[in-house]
Amino acid sequence: MSVPCDELNVPPRVLLGPGPSEMHPRVLRSLATPLLGHLDPAFLDLMERVKELLRWAFQTQNRLTFPLSGTGTAGMEACLCNLLEPGERILVCVNGYFGNRIVDIAERCGAEVMRVDREWGKAIDPGSVAEALKTGPFKVVAIVHAETSTGVLQPLEEISHLTHESGALLLVDAVTSLGGVPVKVDEWSIDAVYSGSQKCLSAPPGMAPVSFSEAAVETIRQRKRKVQSFYLDMTLIDQYYGTTRAYHHTAPISMVYALYEGLRVAHEEGHDLRAARHRLNHLALAAGVEAMGLALHSEKEHRLWMLNTVTVPEGVDDVDLRKSLLQDYGIEVGGGLGDLKGKVLRVGLMGYGSNRRNVLLFLSALEALLSQRGCKINRGAAAAAATGVYTSSSV
Ligand SMILES: *Cc1c(COP(=O)(O)O)cnc(C)c1O
C-alpha cells in the first residue's frame, strides 16, 4: 500500500489573524531543546521559573499560577469546572463569540447561567451588570477582557467592584490580552484568569496559563463533589507542579520551553514598552485603514490594540479577499464571526507580530487587492498615513 508521505513542507506565512500569531525567533529555537523527563529536577526547576514569570505577566502574587496543558479553551473549561458545581449560578457577560463559549461550557458544567448581553463591537456596561446582579446571588461573574471576535477591550475595575460587592468571584478571559496590554490580576481583584500561549506571547498553541486567587482556591477546597474532569482538576495539577510533585499527566515539555522563552522575551521588554508598541502599531494600522476610506468596526473608546476589525467595503466578497491575501501575499487574516460574518477582516497584531513591517505589508496588500476589485482608493495614502503615525511618535 502506498502512503502519501512527502516531506513536511509548509508555505511561508505572515500570521496576522486572531491566532496563532507568528512565533518569536527565540521561541522557535527553544523548540529544538532536547526533552527532559517531566519529573526531572531540572524540569521542575524550569516549571518554577515559568510560574514566577507568569506571576509577573499576570501581575499577581497568587500561589496557584501555572500553565495548563491545553489551549486557551482548556483554560476556560478548567476555570469553570473547578469553580462551579451543578446547580450553582453564574452571570456571563456576552458581547462576542467567546462570551458565548463561556455560556456553553458553564451549561455543560450543570450551572444555571444568566447572561448580560451587549451588541458585538461594544463594551459591557457596568450598569447592566449591576442590574443583573440584583437577581443574584451568583457564585461567579465571567467576562472576556479582550474579545478577539470583535476587537473590544473591556474595562474591568468597576465590574470587579460590583462583582465582589455581590459576594461573587470574578472570572476573566485574558487569552488575547496577556502579553499585549496589562492584565492586573491583583489590582483588579480577579479571582480566576486564563490565557493562551499562541496570541500575544508569540509561542505555539498548546499551553493555557491560569491563576487563582486565595478566595478561588478556598472555593475549590470546599467543593462538595469532585471536579468532573480529572485532567483539569486544579487540586491534582497543583500537587503535580507544586506540592508533592506527584505524577498527574506528562507535561508537554517542549511547549513549556516555548512558553518560558516567550515569557522571557516579554519580561525583557517590560509591561509598559510592550503595551506602547501594541498601541503604536494599532494606531498606524487604524490611520492607514481610515486613509483608504475603510473603518474599524469596534467602538473607538474601547478598541483593542492587538486585534483590529477592519470593515469590508460593500460589494467586496470577504472570503475571496482573504483567499487573495493568503495566495498572493502569504498573509493570513481572520474573517468575521457570528454577527460580523462577511462584514469585517480580523487583523491581529500580536506580540512579536505587532511591528511596522507587518502593518505596512498588510496595508499595501489590502490597497492593491481592493483596487483590483474596483474600489476607488487613493493609492499610497494608507502607507503615508501609517508612516506619519510612526514618524510623529517617540516610541
Ligand atoms: C483564542 C481565544 C480563546 C480560545 O483559545 P484556544 O487557544 O483557541 O482554545 C478564548 N478566548 C479568547 C478571547 C480567544 O481569543
Side-chain angles (χ1 to χ4, degrees):
M1 193 177 77
S2 114
V3 177
C5 53
D6 292 349
E7 191 183 349
L8 176 66
N9 190 9
V10 301
R13 297 292 191 223
V14 182
L15 296 177
L16 299 182
S21 66
E22 190 177 350
M23 268 194 278
H24 192 284
R26 274 170 52 185
V27 173
L28 182 58
R29 254 186 288 144
S30 76
L31 287 166
T33 309
L35 292 182
L36 287 167
H38 71 113
L39 295 173
D40 187 316
F43 179 72
L44 295 173
D45 175 61
L46 174 66
M47 182 51 80
E48 287 308 305
R49 282 181 276 154
V50 170
K51 283 156 65 175
E52 226 19 83
L53 277 166
L54 283 177
R55 287 187 193 102
W56 167 81
F58 280 127
Q59 307 195 41
T60 183
Q61 306 288 325
N62 286 344
R63 191 194 63 79
L64 194 61
T65 302
F66 53 72
L68 277 173
S69 307
T71 66
T73 306
M76 185 188 286
E77 187 136 13
C79 288
L80 291 164
C81 77
N82 279 271
L83 293 179
L84 292 168
E85 295 195 55
E88 289 183 337
R89 303 185 71 215
I90 178 172
L91 183 66
V92 184
C93 302
V94 183
N95 57 346
Y97 180 87
F98 291 103
N100 278 324
R101 181 171 291 187
I102 295 176
V103 169
D104 186 339
I105 296 179
E107 285 171 354
R108 287 163 193 262
C109 293
E112 191 190 312
V113 180
M114 171 144 173
R115 327 165 37 118
V116 174
D117 279 278
R118 183 86 205 267
E119 185 188 327
W120 286 33
K122 299 212 156 85
I124 298 285
D125 164 34
S128 57
V129 175
E131 212 39 53
L133 282 170
K134 286 185 191 155
T135 67
F138 293 95
K139 178 95 171 279
V140 176
V141 173
I143 192 161
V144 177
H145 189 207
E147 242 308 344
T148 322
S149 61
T150 62
V152 166
L153 182 70
Q154 176 67 47
L156 293 173
E157 281 175 282
E158 206 174 331
I159 289 172
S160 173
H161 180 71
L162 293 166
T163 298
H164 292 109
E165 225 175 32
S166 81
L169 296 169
L170 181 65
L171 165 56
V172 171
D173 176 320
V175 175
T176 290
S177 47
L178 193 70
V181 290
V183 179
K184 300 183 178 180
V185 169
D186 287 0
E187 194 177 315
W188 299 339
S189 303
I190 297 171
D191 293 294
V193 61
Y194 58 90
S195 188
S197 47
Q198 81 273 29
K199 305 218 176 168
C200 296
L201 295 173
S202 304
M207 296 246 77
V210 293
S211 185
F212 290 80
S213 72
E214 270 316 304
V217 170
E218 190 51 35
T219 300
I220 298 171
R221 205 175 284 136
Q222 303 208 344
R223 285 180 67 96
K224 292 192 244 359
R225 56 182 104 186
K226 282 187 186 177
V227 174
Q228 71 263 27
S229 166
F230 175 86
Y231 195 64
L232 298 175
D233 185 326
M234 279 312 136
T235 317
L236 298 179
I237 306 173
D238 185 33
Q239 284 165 12
Y240 177 31
Y241 286 150
T243 49
T244 58
R245 312 290 200 195
Y247 166 67
H248 174 258
H249 68 283
T250 308
I253 309 293
S254 305
M255 291 297 126
V256 177
Y257 296 158
L259 177 63
Y260 178 62
E261 199 55 26
L263 287 166
R264 260 167 41 86
V265 169
H267 183 257
E268 281 167 26
E269 187 173 19
H271 291 301
D272 294 346
L273 282 181
R274 204 165 169 90
R277 175 166 60 80
H278 282 95
R279 176 172 180 270
L280 178 62
N281 290 312
H282 156 77
L283 290 175
L285 185 91
V289 161
E290 279 158 17
M292 259 189 268
L294 310 180
L296 294 186
H297 173 265
S298 52
E299 60 178 342
K300 195 157 189 181
E301 45 299 3
H302 297 119
R303 266 184 200 159
L304 191 57
W305 304 332
M306 300 83 80
L307 193 288
N308 302 273
T309 37
V310 177
T311 56
V312 176
E314 285 288 325
V316 173
D317 174 22
D318 83 300
V319 175
D320 167 66
L321 180 62
R322 280 188 284 124
K323 194 166 145 201
S324 295
L325 276 169
L326 193 67
Q327 282 179 353
D328 303 349
Y329 296 88
I331 299 174
E332 178 183 274
V333 300
L337 293 176
D339 299 356
L340 299 181
K341 194 166 167 30
K343 295 186 186 147
V344 298
L345 301 177
R346 291 187 299 143
V347 184
L349 293 172
M350 299 183 181
Y352 179 67
S354 172
N355 61 51
R356 290 177 198 212
R357 182 196 64 189
N358 285 343
V359 169
L360 294 171
L361 176 67
F362 170 75
L363 289 173
S364 48
L366 184 63
E367 183 184 282
L369 291 174
L370 290 178
S371 296
Q372 273 173 20
R373 283 160 177 74
C375 300
K376 289 214 173 37
I377 285 179
N378 189 355
R379 299 299 296 265
T387 310
V389 170
Y390 289 126
T391 43
S392 64
S393 138
S394 57
V395 179

